[in-house]
Amino acid sequence: MLTMAIVPLVLIGGVAVWVIQRLHRIHSQGTSGQTTSKAAQDLLVSLLPVGMIFGSAFGVIISILFSTSLLFTVSVGAGIGLLVGFIAYEVCTLKEST
């Protein structure tokens, strides 16, 4: 039971710290994503929170379908969503720079 509480905290905390450090490095280098249109910039800025929202929703669905803890699946889903949102941010930033 304690493992189900500690493992997501450690794993998702590590993912969150890595994403924040990576975003800080990108911002410090001056290569953060800037787009020409306002709609594209709004999409780029909202990729991380939208990823977390969809990841949490996916965690709720998994918790309903399988017999797992809601807290565990939502936290892991949000962390995976953060990682997917960051990857999408990187892909969109690479497309704009080329």
Side-chain angles (χ1 to χ4, degrees):
M1 184 71 162
L2 185 62
T3 324
M4 293 293 282
I6 300 297
V7 170
L9 180 68
V10 171
L11 289 176
I12 304 310
V15 167
V17 167
W18 181 79
V19 166
I20 291 169
Q21 290 294 326
R22 182 80 174 130
L23 286 172
H24 178 68
R25 187 177 322 136
I26 289 170
H27 182 70
S28 296
Q29 292 174 349
T31 59
S32 60
Q34 297 294 325
T35 59
T36 54
S37 70
K38 173 130 173 65
Q41 183 66 34
D42 289 341
L43 175 69
L44 189 64
V45 168
S46 65
L47 283 174
L48 271 66
V50 168
M52 291 180 71
I53 290 170
F54 281 123
S56 297
F58 184 71
V60 169
I61 292 170
I62 292 298
S63 178
I64 290 171
L65 295 177
F66 301 105
S67 178
T68 57
S69 169
L70 181 64
L71 181 63
F72 177 77
T73 56
V74 168
S75 61
V76 170
I80 291 171
L82 177 68
L83 188 60
V84 169
F86 177 71
I87 291 169
Y89 177 85
E90 284 285 321
V91 168
C92 290
T93 303
L94 288 176
K95 281 184 182 178
E96 285 294 324
S97 65
T98 59

